[in-house]
Amino acid sequence: MEPRWYWLDDSAQWIEYGKQSNNPAATVTSAQVEKAFQADQEGTLRFQVHSQRYEINFKGMIQRNLHTQTARRICRQSHDTSSGDGSQQEESTDKRWYWLDESNQWIEYGEESPDHCAATVTSAEVEKAFQADQKGTLRFRAGSQRYEINFKDMVQRNLLTQQVRRICRWPPDASDGDGNQQRESTGQRWYWLDDSNQWVEYGDESPNHCAATITSAEVEKAFQADQKGTLRFQAGSQGYEINFKDMLQRNLHTQMTRQICRWPDSASDRDIQQKKSCCWYWLNGHRWVEYGKQHSDQCAAPVSSAEVELLFQAHQEGSCEFIVDSQKYKFDFKEMVQRNPNTQTVTKICRSPSAEVSGSSEQDKKRQSDAIHTHHLFPSDWDHSALPETGYELVEVSRTASKYREIENLFQRTMKHYRIHRLRRIQNPMLWQYFQLQKEQMKKRSPGQEVDERLLFHGTSSSHLSAICEQNFDWRVCGAHGTLYGKGSYFARDASYSHQYCSSGTGHQSMFVAHVLVGDFVQGHRSFLRPPPRPGNVNRLYDSCVDDPGDPSIFVIFEKHQIYPAYILEYTRSSQ
C-alpha cells in the first residue's frame, strides 16, 4: 500500500492530508504529498487552505504557515501500519529525542544544528530502540563521525573522541506549535527546597506552600537572560526573589532564604531528591566552595552541585566532559579533579553530605562543617564510619573494587605464581594528614609541577605490621635488610623484590602497598643518610634516592611523612 501523510493538529491528533478535522481540509491529498516526496525527498510542497498558504518541508518533516510562520510536525506512515485514524502514527511519535549541542541548545535527532551534520537516525527511530531495550545502546552516524546513545545513562558518546553529550526524551505536546517552547523547556528545570527537605519544581504546589506564579521554564528563561541577576514572583500573598548568582530564593517579607537548584530534564525524580544527600565542592585555595554558589569575589560555578552529582552517577569511576560558555571542562571522578584542557588547570573536587538550608542551629552548622571537613580530608573510597580519633582501622577491600584490580595487576606483573588472598586498606587519619601536608609542602617547592607519587611495595616481617600501621615506616627497623642506596626505608616497583623480605609463617605472606612521594630522585649510595643537595643549591635536597635514575625500580625514602602505608596485601602461592 502507498504510504500516507499526516499533520499534527492543536489537540495532538494526527490528521491525514485531504481529510476533514476541526480545521478545513488541506487542498492536497496524502497521495499528492507522497508523489511530491518521491520527486524530491529533501524538497518542499506548497498548498492552500482557504486564504492560508502552507509549505511542507520534507527534509525537516514540518509544515509551516507562510503567513504566521507556525510550524507543525508531519509524518509518513505505511498504510498497513496505520489504524486508519492515525492512532498508530500518534503512538509512534509519542516521544521525541534531543541532544545538547555546544551552544546549550537541544537538537532533535535527524535535524541539523549550525555546526553539526544531521544524525542518520530520527527521533522516532531512537524511541523505537528505547522501547526495545530501555537500558541498551544505539549506534548511528552523523557525517563521518560514529556515535553511541546509552539509554541507561542518558548520554550520547562520540566513539572516536569519547566526548559525551546529554540527551533527553520529551513528549510532543510540550510544544507551543512551532517547537520553540518545547526546545527551551527541555533544557533545564528549576526547584526550591521546602520545609520537609524535598525539592519542589517551580509552578508546582508543596504540602504547606502555594504554587509559585512562575513556571520552571520561565525561571530558566530569566536565567539565560542574566545568569547573575534576580527574578521576583509571588506565591499566595508572599513576594519572593530568586538570586541566580547565589542560587538562593529569598522571602522579601521574612528574609528567609531557601536553596534552589537547576536540573537537566533527563534527570529522574530520584536523582533530584537525592541531591539533598550529596553536594559537590571545588578547592579554591584552602577553602572548599560548593558548585553553583559564590565565594568571596569568585563568581559561582556555572554548573550546579546537582548537575555534578548527575554526571557522577553516570560515570562513577570514569571521566566525562561538559561545556559551559564555550569552555570545555572534564571531571575525573577516579582522581577527583576537574581539568580545563585549554589552560591545563587542575582543580581538586570532593563529594560530601549537603549542608542544611539557612536557619539551621549553630550546632547543626558545626556538624555539617565537620562532615564536609571529614569528607574532603580523606579519600572518597575510605569507609567514613571507620575513622578512629587515634590509631588506625583495617577495612577489607572488595575484589570488585577498582583499587583492588589496580593493585592485583601491579602484583601479578612479577608474582605470576602467587595469588592475593586478602587486601586490607589501612585507615589512619593522622598519618594521612601528615602525608597530605608533606605533599603540599613539596608542591610549594616546585610551583606548577605535580609531585611524583607512586604506588610501591614493601616487604617486612609480620611482627612489624601493626607498628607500621600505627606509626609509619622507620628505616632503623624496616631498612635493616639493606642500605645499598642509602640509610632509609626501601620501596620497590616490583612485588617480587619485596617478596624476598616477607616472612612466611602460616603459609600466607604479607607485604605493604604504600603511597610514596618519590618527587625528584637521584642515584643513591650506601653512605647517604639523607638525599644529596641539588646542583647549584646546597639548601635544596633531592626528595629520594634510587637504584637507577633512568629506570628506577628501588626507591629510598628518608622522610617518613613522604610515605603513607595504604594497604596490607596477604598472598599465597597458587595451587599447581
Side-chain angles (χ1 to χ4, degrees):
M1 281 285 194
E2 186 178 74
R4 293 182 181 178
W5 286 81
Y6 299 81
W7 59 277
L8 195 65
D9 74 2
D10 299 323
S11 60
Q13 296 295 309
W14 289 99
I15 310 299
E16 187 177 353
Y17 278 94
K19 297 283 183 72
Q20 192 78 27
S21 71
N22 294 331
N23 299 302
T27 53
V28 290
T29 64
S30 190
Q32 291 170 318
V33 178
E34 175 64 17
K35 184 177 180 180
F37 175 74
Q38 292 296 340
D40 185 356
Q41 296 189 14
E42 294 189 357
T44 60
L45 172 64
R46 292 193 175 188
F47 64 94
Q48 278 203 229
V49 178
H50 294 324
S51 61
Q52 298 294 308
R53 297 174 65 243
Y54 297 87
E55 181 180 82
I56 293 172
N57 184 313
F58 294 121
K59 184 177 181 181
M61 291 297 281
I62 57 171
Q63 166 191 296
R64 189 177 301 279
N65 183 309
L66 294 176
H67 175 63
T68 66
Q69 295 301 305
T70 300
R72 297 182 184 276
R73 291 169 53 208
I74 64 174
C75 71
R76 177 177 180 259
Q77 288 288 331
S78 299
H79 178 60
D80 56 1
T81 63
S82 173
S83 64
D85 61 358
S87 59
Q88 174 72 20
Q89 285 78 4
E90 181 182 355
E91 180 182 333
S92 67
T93 53
D94 186 43
K95 302 289 182 181
R96 284 187 276 175
W97 286 81
Y98 298 80
W99 59 276
L100 196 65
D101 74 1
E102 288 96 334
S103 58
N104 216 29
Q105 296 296 309
W106 290 98
I107 309 298
E108 186 171 359
Y109 280 92
E111 294 185 3
E112 290 186 4
S113 74
D115 302 314
H116 296 274
C117 300
T120 54
V121 291
T122 64
S123 198
E125 290 170 320
V126 178
E127 175 67 13
K128 185 177 180 181
F130 175 75
Q131 291 296 341
D133 184 358
Q134 297 190 13
K135 293 184 179 180
T137 59
L138 172 65
R139 293 194 173 187
F140 66 93
R141 299 185 76 92
S144 61
Q145 299 293 307
R146 297 174 65 243
Y147 298 86
E148 181 179 84
I149 292 171
N150 185 313
F151 294 121
K152 183 179 179 181
D153 298 337
M154 291 297 283
V155 294
Q156 167 190 297
R157 187 182 304 276
N158 183 309
L159 296 175
L160 175 64
T161 66
Q162 296 301 305
Q163 183 181 27
V164 175
R165 296 182 184 276
R166 300 209 311 261
I167 65 173
C168 71
R169 179 176 181 250
W170 197 254
D173 55 2
S175 173
D176 63 357
D178 63 0
N180 290 333
Q181 181 184 338
Q182 186 272 339
R183 289 196 186 184
E184 290 173 8
S185 65
T186 57
Q188 306 286 336
R189 287 183 284 172
W190 286 83
Y191 298 80
W192 58 277
L193 198 64
D194 74 2
D195 302 321
S196 60
N197 212 28
Q198 296 293 306
W199 290 102
V200 181
E201 187 171 0
Y202 279 93
D204 291 350
E205 289 187 3
S206 75
N208 301 315
H209 297 273
C210 299
T213 54
I214 53 171
T215 64
S216 194
E218 291 170 318
V219 178
E220 175 67 12
K221 186 175 182 181
F223 175 75
Q224 292 295 342
D226 185 357
Q227 297 189 13
K228 295 181 182 178
T230 60
L231 173 64
R232 292 195 174 189
F233 65 95
Q234 290 272 134
S237 61
Q238 300 292 306
Y240 297 87
E241 182 179 82
I242 292 172
N243 185 312
F244 295 121
K245 188 176 182 180
D246 298 335
M247 291 297 282
L248 293 172
Q249 168 190 296
R250 188 181 304 278
N251 184 308
L252 296 174
H253 176 62
T254 66
Q255 296 302 305
M256 180 179 178
T257 59
R258 296 181 184 274
Q259 289 181 347
I260 64 174
C261 70
R262 179 176 180 249
W263 272 90
D265 279 332
S266 56
S268 67
D269 288 340
R270 180 174 174 272
D271 291 329
I272 295 163
Q273 295 306 332
Q274 279 186 338
K275 191 267 178 187
K276 58 181 176 288
S277 61
C278 285
C279 284
W280 284 85
Y281 300 80
W282 58 278
L283 191 60
N284 178 21
H286 297 287
R287 293 184 64 86
W288 290 94
V289 181
E290 186 178 352
Y291 278 92
K293 291 192 176 180
Q294 187 186 20
H295 170 63
S296 63
D297 58 346
Q298 296 276 342
C299 295
V303 59
S304 70
S305 188
E307 291 172 307
V308 180
E309 176 67 12
L310 183 61
L311 293 170
F312 173 74
Q313 292 297 337
H315 311 275
Q316 293 193 21
E317 292 198 1
S319 60
C320 62
E321 292 183 345
F322 66 100
I323 298 172
V324 177
D325 296 333
S326 76
Q327 284 290 316
K328 185 184 290 184
Y329 297 89
K330 183 175 183 178
F331 281 125
D332 187 329
F333 293 118
K334 185 176 181 181
E335 300 295 331
M336 291 299 281
V337 295
Q338 171 192 301
R339 305 179 194 275
N340 184 321
N342 296 327
T343 64
Q344 300 301 311
T345 303
V346 179
T347 304
K348 288 185 179 179
I349 62 176
C350 75
R351 180 176 183 253
S352 74
S354 66
E356 299 285 335
V357 296
S358 299
S360 298
S361 68
E362 289 303 314
Q363 184 178 357
D364 287 340
K365 289 178 179 177
K366 183 180 185 305
R367 185 170 63 249
Q368 294 146 17
S369 176
D370 290 345
I372 293 171
H373 183 69
T374 299
H375 276 253
H376 85 251
L377 276 179
F378 307 113
S380 59
D381 61 347
W382 276 27
D383 181 350
H384 291 264
S385 66
L387 292 174
E389 290 188 11
T390 60
Y392 67 96
E393 290 279 353
L394 293 178
V395 178
E396 188 155 351
V397 180
S398 168
R399 291 179 179 273
T400 61
S402 61
K403 186 58 72 174
Y404 186 101
R405 295 193 297 270
E406 179 185 351
I407 292 172
E408 184 178 44
N409 288 336
L410 290 173
F411 180 77
Q412 290 292 339
R413 284 179 188 172
T414 58
M415 297 286 285
K416 297 188 184 300
H417 299 299
Y418 291 80
R419 64 180 180 84
I420 297 177
H421 171 67
R422 179 169 62 166
L423 182 68
R424 288 181 292 170
R425 182 172 58 247
I426 304 163
Q427 298 193 175
N428 187 322
M430 184 174 293
L431 293 187
W432 178 259
Q433 291 180 59
Y434 283 141
F435 178 74
Q436 292 299 314
L437 183 61
Q438 181 69 26
K439 185 192 287 189
E440 291 301 319
Q441 292 300 314
M442 291 172 70
K443 281 184 178 179
K444 289 178 181 178
R445 291 199 293 266
S446 301
Q449 295 182 20
E450 285 296 309
V451 179
D452 188 349
E453 179 180 339
R454 306 196 184 195
L455 207 56
L456 302 172
F457 297 99
H458 178 94
T460 190
S461 168
S462 58
S463 62
H464 296 150
L465 295 180
S466 181
I468 292 172
C469 291
E470 181 89 29
Q471 303 164 16
N472 214 336
F473 294 88
D474 184 337
W475 76 267
R476 291 168 296 183
V477 177
C478 305
H481 294 296
T483 57
L484 184 60
Y485 303 109
K487 293 178 174 62
S489 297
Y490 280 61
F491 296 87
R493 176 192 65 197
D494 303 326
S496 58
Y497 179 87
S498 299
H499 171 63
Q500 302 172 59
Y501 304 99
C502 297
S503 57
S504 55
T506 62
H508 284 170
Q509 295 168 276
S510 298
M511 69 171 65
F512 281 97
V513 183
H515 290 292
V516 183
L517 300 171
V518 300
D520 295 329
F521 45 76
V522 68
Q523 175 70 48
H525 189 272
R526 67 173 64 252
S527 65
F528 289 165
L529 296 175
R530 63 177 187 174
R534 300 168 192 252
N537 189 344
V538 294
N539 296 319
R540 283 286 309 277
L541 306 182
Y542 280 96
D543 299 308
S544 61
C545 294
V546 297
D547 60 332
D548 178 2
D551 183 24
S553 64
I554 299 172
F555 296 82
V556 186
I557 306 298
F558 301 85
E559 167 54 65
K560 71 177 184 178
H561 295 321
Q562 286 177 230
I563 312 159
Y564 179 75
Y567 301 92
I568 296 176
L569 187 158
E570 295 179 27
Y571 63 101
T572 186
R573 178 174 283 276
S574 300
S575 57
Q576 298 299 320

